[in-house]
Amino acid sequence: MKILDGQLVSQATKDDLKIKVADLVQQGLKVPHLAAVLVGNDGASETYVGSKVRTCEEIGYKSTLIRLDKSIDESELLETIRKLNEDDDVDGILVQLPLPAGISEQKVIDAIDASKDVDGFHSINVGRMVQGLPTFVPATPHGIMLLLEYYKIDTKGMNAAVIGRSNIVGRPMSILLSAATNPGNCTVTLCHSQTKNIAEICRNSDLIVAALGKPGFLKADMVKEGAIVIDVGISRVTDPSKKRGYSIKGDVDFDGVAPKCSYITPVPGGVGPMTIAALMKNTFRACTAK
Ligand code: GUN
């Protein structure tokens, strides 16, 4: 069993970007600028946005964090996006999800200029991804593809199970794994809450991506010997032994599953850091591919 070390690969990706940013500076060119919009003060969203902004600083990007009260209405958020679209200094825009009830996430996402949509959630960019055209690929599935690529895992012809059909992770993951690329070229089954035989589908899979948000869901008896297991889960589970009162748990019962795997991602230190690295790659592209 080998650990797919997201921390290590993320650091390598960030180091590479750091060098590229230094090159831009030396040539007198503009450095990438990411604008993040955070509505309300959900604890998990605060953590994610904080780490995105910190990573920008680490690499040498410019970043702007726009905080809006959770009581704002949709039109105010759309106006904020309009201004960011028009600001030539801003290369990438992300609106942290979820948004408060009453605000249409798709309307907000589609208001972002598609050429600044570093999350890859805009309808145009999703369409381009499905067609295999160059575009911004959503950060979590993009990060997973980078991880598989780094470890030179040849997924050609594999049966892959993706558990969870969210627009952020599961659905784009299923598209990328089925694409005629390397990694890719998998035969993908996209499982969700209405799937009848998840355990059986998983047992028949060479590669499993667990992205359903249920801590410890994937158990050893659902995994075949030698499978590759990617854990996207990052649930906060109450843990009085921790100073902060919770610990982070993945969707995979790691202790049970890991001994059966050829490769597995840990939580934390697997997919999480890769998501940030992929976002940083997208932001670099937004700045330089104009
Ligand atoms: N919420 C959970 N994951 C993401 C993400 O990748 N991007 C944004 N904008 N919000 C999220």
Side-chain angles (χ1 to χ4, degrees):
M1 184 271 294
K2 199 167 172 186
I3 294 283
L4 297 172
D5 186 344
Q7 200 67 53
L8 176 105
V9 183
S10 168
Q11 195 56 55
T13 309
K14 290 188 291 185
D15 288 346
D16 180 51
L17 289 168
K18 235 186 245 180
I19 293 168
K20 289 191 164 120
V21 172
D23 275 354
L24 291 177
V25 172
Q26 203 171 22
Q27 293 174 61
L29 297 170
K30 172 183 187 321
V31 299
H33 179 181
L34 176 68
V37 181
L38 176 60
V39 184
N41 43 18
D42 171 73
S45 291
E46 291 266 4
T47 306
Y48 302 147
V49 171
S51 105
K52 290 169 187 179
V53 168
R54 264 196 317 279
T55 307
C56 284
E57 281 163 23
E58 196 189 315
I59 299 181
Y61 292 2
K62 196 168 158 186
S63 68
T64 302
L65 172 57
I66 297 168
R67 289 174 165 278
L68 299 171
D69 194 86
K70 67 173 183 298
S71 66
I72 60 148
D73 60 28
E74 191 177 274
S75 61
E76 288 172 80
L77 180 51
L78 292 173
E79 178 57 16
T80 302
I81 291 169
R82 194 190 61 72
K83 285 187 188 142
L84 293 171
N85 285 340
E86 282 181 4
D87 185 342
D88 286 339
D89 194 62
V90 171
D91 303 296
I93 303 169
L94 75 83
V95 178
Q96 189 64 26
L97 304 177
L99 290 171
I103 299 183
S104 159
E105 289 187 349
Q106 200 56 50
K107 195 164 170 189
V108 167
I109 287 163
D110 283 341
I112 297 171
D113 182 329
S115 70
K116 297 188 178 189
D117 167 42
V118 285
D119 263 328
F121 296 163
H122 192 290
S123 304
I124 289 177
N125 291 325
V126 174
R128 292 182 63 85
M129 178 192 61
V130 171
Q131 290 174 305
L133 298 169
T135 188
F136 298 111
V137 172
T140 300
H142 184 188
I144 292 169
M145 296 301 273
L146 293 172
L147 197 57
L148 294 169
E149 192 181 322
Y150 183 91
Y151 284 93
K152 299 189 170 47
I153 297 174
D154 186 359
T155 60
K156 186 169 60 188
M158 284 187 178
N159 288 336
V162 176
I163 315 173
R165 58 180 158 185
S166 72
N167 288 342
I168 293 178
V169 186
R171 198 169 293 281
M173 188 79 255
S174 71
I175 304 287
L176 296 175
L177 286 174
S178 66
T181 52
N182 187 23
N185 276 311
C186 293
T187 303
V188 181
T189 307
L190 181 54
C191 304
H192 48 74
S193 56
Q194 305 306 311
T195 301
K196 289 206 172 87
N197 50 347
I198 290 192
E200 192 187 331
I201 292 167
C202 289
R203 271 194 296 273
N204 283 323
S205 298
D206 309 297
L207 169 62
I208 303 172
V209 179
L212 70 162
K214 280 198 182 157
F217 174 85
L218 192 78
K219 299 272 192 297
D221 64 357
M222 299 166 77
V223 177
K224 77 169 171 189
E225 282 295 333
I228 300 162
V229 172
I230 309 289
D231 190 348
V232 182
I234 33 163
S235 302
R236 290 182 175 197
V237 176
T238 307
D239 184 348
S241 76
K242 290 274 185 307
K243 216 158 113 191
R244 59 189 178 183
Y246 65 87
S247 51
I248 300 292
K249 287 266 178 282
D251 289 347
V252 177
D253 172 22
F254 186 90
D255 293 343
V257 169
K260 296 183 87 173
C261 295
S262 55
Y263 295 93
I264 187 167
T265 61
V267 175
V271 173
M274 288 310 300
T275 296
I276 305 261
L279 175 70
M280 294 299 129
K281 269 181 98 84
N282 284 354
T283 306
F284 189 86
R285 183 176 185 277
C287 174
T288 55
K290 280 179 188 146

